[in-house]
Amino acid sequence: MHAEAPGGVVGSALFILKPDDPRYDSVLEHLGNPPPGGYAPVKPFPWGMF
C-alpha cells in the first residue's frame, strides 16, 4: 500500500497474509476478492483489524 498526503506525508506498507492466517478471509473480502497475484484499490480498514 502507498499513500500520500499534503505537507509531504508519504507512507508505504506491504502486508503478506497466508491463507492460514485467521484474518485472511476478512481481508480478502475487504479488498473485493482480487484475482490471485492481482491488484485492488484499498479502502481504509476498520479500526483494530491490524
Side-chain angles (χ1 to χ4, degrees):
M1 290 189 268
H2 181 82
E4 297 181 18
V9 176
V10 177
S12 295
L14 173 66
F15 294 96
I16 299 174
L17 293 176
K18 295 181 179 182
D20 61 346
D21 187 297
R23 300 168 294 183
Y24 185 85
D25 289 333
S26 62
V27 170
L28 196 61
E29 182 179 336
H30 182 80
L31 295 176
N33 293 309
Y39 293 89
V42 179
K43 57 190 175 207
F45 282 94
W47 182 256
M49 185 173 231
F50 282 99

